[in-house]
Amino acid sequence: MKLKIEVKDFRVKEGAAVKLKEFRTECPRYYESKEHYEEILQEHVKCLNHYQSLLYAHNRYALLLIFQGMDTSGKDGAIKHVLSGTNPAGCQVFSFKQPSTEELEHDFLWRATRALPERGRIGIFNRSYYEEVLILRVHPELLDSENLPDELIDTKKIWKRRFNSIRRYEEHLITNGTRPLKFFLHISKKEQAERLLARIDDPDKNWKVNMSDLHERKYWKEYQHAYEEALSETSTEDAPWYVIPGDDKRNARIIISHILLEHMRGLKMTFPPVTAKHRKELQQMRKLLEK
């Protein structure tokens, strides 16, 4: 099924000065009905399953998928639905929440490094080391818990330094075979309110919402600014950011799975070649099994 999705329309160009108001939270639908959406997604999932097998067999690359977004932006749902057909043995998902005491005793990239995927595997970060230039940017008082030397806690310089560290870190990953692919799920403030209300109205989802969500919502503009700088400073040719219109969850999942497939097709991967000796062994195995 050929979809007319232009990947470049969602990609943040290297060096671009991002203004999120210029990015849509909604875009024309790529599906005509719920049944059509499920048909498209299932086809994408089937293709992803094939490329995951190829990634594992080729065993030269690792894929690192990073999902960021405001609360209720659909990160969990995108991971669940887009990667529903992949082999769990070849995937690993990490959710980065409040750092532990041990993690705070190391540099801000340490806990992410421990969670990196092995070659042949897909690693998924639900939030990531980018929280260190997002939530800490909005709440700089949290820097106190990181026990940094006083001369390094300069809020005019620390973010530039961290952006530089992230760019170098991702360049290091790329030169060692790990390909980062970063998705920012972009939703409107109005849509977030509707999703929070839906969680309140659904008893099975009450556990997913509390007063802290409403508290953080007060900092909407500050978070938008923090995301703008992070996207501007860290989207590169080899480690791009994609701004995904997130108000329509189904549409977002189709766009994400399409972009992921395009990147996996672009990797020069092949199944290991079979030698003449191995072919001969296979024929001997066949004869023994047929007996």
Side-chain angles (χ1 to χ4, degrees):
M1 189 179 296
K2 189 72 173 177
L3 294 176
K4 294 182 179 179
I5 298 178
E6 293 289 344
V7 172
K8 62 180 176 61
D9 291 345
F10 306 99
R11 182 172 180 146
V12 176
K13 293 181 180 179
E14 184 171 352
V18 174
K19 296 295 180 186
L20 286 176
K21 287 183 179 180
E22 298 173 2
F23 286 83
R24 297 170 295 179
T25 59
E26 288 186 275
C27 69
R29 284 185 175 182
Y30 294 104
Y31 65 97
E32 298 170 2
S33 64
K34 181 182 178 182
E35 292 72 24
H36 187 216
Y37 153 75
E38 290 173 350
E39 182 184 350
I40 294 170
L41 191 64
Q42 283 306 308
E43 184 174 331
H44 284 186
V45 166
K46 183 179 178 181
C47 290
L48 285 171
N49 186 44
H50 164 74
Y51 281 106
Q52 184 197 15
S53 297
L54 183 55
L55 179 75
Y56 181 78
H58 187 69
N59 199 35
R60 294 292 184 274
Y61 297 107
L63 202 59
L64 177 61
L65 310 182
I66 292 175
F67 290 86
Q68 292 284 161
M70 299 293 286
D71 289 337
T72 78
S73 61
K75 299 181 295 296
D76 291 340
I79 293 167
K80 176 182 176 181
H81 289 271
V82 172
L83 296 156
S84 61
T86 53
N87 184 346
C91 284
Q92 50 199 64
V93 182
F94 288 91
S95 294
F96 289 86
K97 298 181 180 179
Q98 184 174 342
S100 67
T101 302
E102 180 187 19
E103 289 166 345
L104 287 170
E105 291 300 322
H106 294 80
D107 69 271
F108 78 94
L109 291 168
W110 182 76
R111 65 174 179 161
T113 302
R114 298 174 75 206
L116 287 173
E118 303 164 9
R119 288 190 181 88
R121 294 167 66 90
I122 299 174
I124 301 151
F125 285 1
N126 186 350
R127 299 191 187 275
S128 65
Y129 45 87
Y130 278 95
E131 293 294 285
E132 295 286 337
V133 292
L134 294 169
I135 191 168
L136 268 73
R137 186 79 182 265
V138 176
H139 299 288
E141 65 276 9
L142 295 176
L143 283 168
D144 293 341
S145 64
E146 296 193 352
N147 296 324
L148 292 169
D150 291 340
E151 63 270 21
L152 295 182
I153 305 181
D154 181 340
T155 53
K156 292 182 179 179
K157 295 180 181 179
I158 191 169
W159 312 120
K160 287 287 184 183
R161 288 171 179 161
R162 290 197 169 186
F163 290 141
N164 188 44
S165 293
I166 288 171
R167 286 193 301 271
R168 290 183 176 183
Y169 180 68
E170 291 176 348
E171 182 181 358
H172 168 75
L173 294 180
I174 292 161
T175 57
N176 284 277
T178 297
R179 297 300 180 94
L181 194 55
K182 304 175 291 191
F183 299 102
F184 170 61
L185 277 72
H186 186 30
I187 63 170
S188 65
K189 193 174 184 181
K190 179 176 179 290
E191 178 66 20
Q192 188 196 57
E194 290 177 0
R195 292 183 184 181
L196 287 171
L197 286 168
R199 290 181 179 182
I200 292 170
D201 293 339
D202 185 347
D204 291 340
K205 293 185 178 179
N206 285 174
W207 64 273
K208 297 179 75 174
V209 62
N210 53 55
M211 285 300 293
S212 66
D213 297 315
L214 205 58
H215 175 74
E216 288 304 296
R217 188 173 157 82
K218 295 176 183 176
Y219 298 96
W220 184 273
K221 288 184 179 179
E222 290 83 353
Y223 274 112
Q224 296 296 292
H225 174 69
Y227 269 110
E228 286 174 345
E229 286 227 10
L231 297 171
S232 301
E233 293 279 354
T234 63
S235 190
T236 63
E237 187 65 28
D238 294 323
W241 272 106
Y242 290 92
V243 179
I244 308 299
D247 282 1
D248 183 333
K249 293 180 181 180
R250 292 172 181 162
N251 220 30
R253 293 163 192 166
I254 289 173
I255 296 168
I256 291 168
S257 56
H258 178 84
I259 292 171
L260 177 52
L261 275 173
E262 287 293 297
H263 273 269
M264 295 188 83
R265 289 187 185 112
L267 296 176
K268 296 178 180 179
M269 298 187 295
T270 58
F271 287 105
V274 180
T275 64
K277 180 182 178 182
H278 191 194
R279 282 198 197 93
K280 188 176 180 180
E281 289 175 349
L282 292 175
Q283 291 307 312
Q284 289 174 342
M285 287 175 63
R286 170 180 285 280
K287 289 177 181 179
L288 290 169
L289 289 167
E290 287 176 344
K291 288 181 180 179

